[in-house]
Amino acid sequence: MSANPAIPSFTGDASPYGGGDPYADYRTADFPFTQYVDLAARTLGAGVIAANDEFFAQRENLLVATPAEFDPEHFGHKGKIMDGWETRRRRGTGPDHPWPTAEDHDWALVRLGAPGVVRGIVVDTAHFRGNYPQAVSVEATSVAGAPTPEELLSDDVKWTTLVPRTAVGGHAANGFAVDVEQRFTHLRLNQHPDGGVARLRVYGEVVPDPKWLATLGTFDVVALANGGRAEDASNLFYSPASNTIQPGYSRKMDDGWETRRRRDNGNDWIRYRLVAQSQIRALEIDTAYLKGNSAGWASVSVKDGEDGEWVEVLPRTRLQPDTNHRFVLDTPAVGTHARVDIFPDGGISRLRLFGSLTDQGASQLAARRAELGA
């Protein structure tokens, strides 16, 4: 069980800011694990609940959804104001040893928005050029309920290393693939010995609590927060398909899924994996904030198992712009996957599939959670 740097060549210094576009020399890559949901997204309820130091820049900036911004003229009473989490410079014990020790480090505790298996982590040092950490490490734990920072830092809590202490680069997206098959609820990001990190992204698979879902009874069986996932889509030109199963209602046009304009007689689609085998009884298709570019028509199909046949549960139906459409199924549909087809193109903001786990689905989900040590 280990984590491997996805872009090891990006470790090292970044050039001082020379004016113009601050992202012109930013270093990044296409990380394969970004297909998964960001478990540390604020939209899922994640938060940075504590840090040992945030003298220059607040810890909460780590989880801001948008890329870090940089204003070269923005200074405050404590110094340069950075869009990230930045700690003060560490010092040694005295004039004979003014340097920090090898063990000295700063840390921030992150509560994941949805517990799950971590597949990859990005520690983004955007705009931190001469003040980024020499190295970072990431640990994770699983603690039920809503523990306090003091409880998480107690000797009773066991932490598992996801990213061993690894040198990182300044002004770069430092990516790490993770292959630890456990379910986690909290992370600890460590900076060695000090410095600044702009953003933290924690990509993985949501693993919900089957007892909680059983207690709810009817819930959204495709929602990200409940363990659903957008597996594939015909077109991702403007926005990711996973937006359609985010919590809450869309708040602006790019908070949904929109495709490029088609110039043929085809149609666009998204394929989803449900939390587990479920019985679907009702659904919603929302086109909020999509007005001149909403889908014209939509249909929904369900299949049971990877090799199952697609069965249409909602025939091709006219959609209105900027409208939430609700449908009650005449006959409940049982399946593990769902697909929404839009005609001919455009977009939807949200898809909700309301139902409950079957006995088989509940058993499989409980077994999966037990395998992950929860």
Side-chain angles (χ1 to χ4, degrees), residues 37-106:
V37 61
D38 181 6
L39 301 176
R42 286 289 295 172
T43 53
L44 286 178
V48 188
I49 61 175
N52 71 306
D53 186 284
E54 46 187 330
F55 185 85
F56 287 115
Q58 296 176 330
R59 64 182 190 263
E60 288 86 357
N61 290 334
L62 283 171
L63 305 188
V64 172
T66 55
E69 299 180 354
F70 180 72
D71 181 352
E73 305 299 327
H74 196 189
F75 286 84
H77 293 293
K78 294 182 178 180
K80 181 72 184 72
I81 295 177
M82 298 294 291
D83 185 7
W85 168 50
E86 185 181 6
T87 66
R88 73 191 77 201
R89 301 189 187 212
R90 281 186 170 269
R91 300 301 188 216
T93 56
D96 295 334
H97 199 287
W99 312 280
T101 68
E103 292 75 29
D104 285 343
H105 67 278
D106 293 318

Side-chain angles (χ1 to χ4, degrees), residues 98-355:
W99 312 280
T101 68
E103 292 75 29
D104 285 343
H105 67 278
D106 293 318
W107 53 263
L109 292 177
V110 178
R111 180 193 65 246
L112 297 180
V117 180
V118 178
R119 299 300 184 195
I121 295 173
V122 174
V123 179
D124 189 350
T125 58
H127 314 304
F128 288 93
R129 297 170 179 268
N131 49 350
Y132 61 95
Q134 181 184 45
V136 300
S137 61
V138 181
E139 302 162 282
T141 190
S142 182
V143 179
T148 66
E150 292 75 19
E151 290 170 335
L152 288 170
L153 296 172
S154 70
D155 294 336
D156 297 333
V157 174
K158 176 185 176 183
W159 291 85
T160 299
T161 298
L162 301 186
V163 178
R165 182 170 177 169
T166 306
V168 294
H171 196 45
N174 300 275
F176 304 90
V178 178
D179 60 2
V180 181
E181 287 293 320
Q182 294 183 45
R183 177 184 184 269
F184 296 111
T185 60
H186 295 77
L187 296 189
R188 181 163 60 192
L189 171 64
N190 302 308
Q191 299 193 70
H192 305 269
D194 55 35
V197 172
R199 298 288 188 266
L200 176 70
R201 304 292 184 241
V202 184
Y203 297 99
E205 299 177 60
V206 176
V207 181
D209 182 350
K211 292 183 179 179
W212 174 256
L213 298 182
T215 301
L216 291 178
T218 297
F219 61 94
D220 184 357
V221 299
V222 75
L224 278 177
N226 293 330
R229 177 182 169 192
E231 287 192 319
D232 198 7
S234 60
N235 188 275
L236 301 172
F237 189 83
Y238 286 113
S239 46
S242 59
N243 279 357
T244 60
I245 51 176
Q246 290 278 3
Y249 290 102
S250 177
R251 292 168 294 178
K252 52 193 175 75
M253 190 175 72
D254 66 350
D255 195 19
W257 171 62
E258 181 190 359
T259 70
R260 73 177 77 199
R261 300 189 187 209
R262 297 191 74 95
R263 303 305 186 194
D264 58 24
N265 291 328
N267 75 285
D268 289 314
W269 51 267
I270 305 175
R271 186 181 74 242
Y272 303 91
R273 178 186 292 274
L274 309 184
V275 56
Q277 188 189 64
S278 304
Q279 185 183 73
I280 302 167
R281 295 185 288 275
L283 60 91
E284 288 185 2
I285 300 176
D286 194 357
T287 59
Y289 292 96
L290 294 161
K291 298 180 179 180
N293 51 354
S294 65
W297 292 262
S299 65
V300 177
S301 301
V302 173
K303 75 172 183 176
D304 191 23
E306 293 288 350
D307 300 323
E309 296 290 332
W310 289 106
V311 177
E312 191 174 71
V313 298
L314 178 73
R316 193 178 303 184
T317 301
R318 179 72 185 180
L319 300 182
Q320 298 299 320
D322 195 27
T323 301
N324 190 26
H325 309 75
R326 290 179 171 175
F327 308 92
V328 176
L329 302 184
D330 294 333
T331 302
V334 174
T336 57
H337 295 73
R339 171 175 166 142
V340 59
D341 286 86
I342 63 171
F343 302 88
D345 57 17
I348 62 174
S349 63
R350 294 290 188 270
L351 175 72
R352 306 295 190 211
L353 303 178
F354 296 105

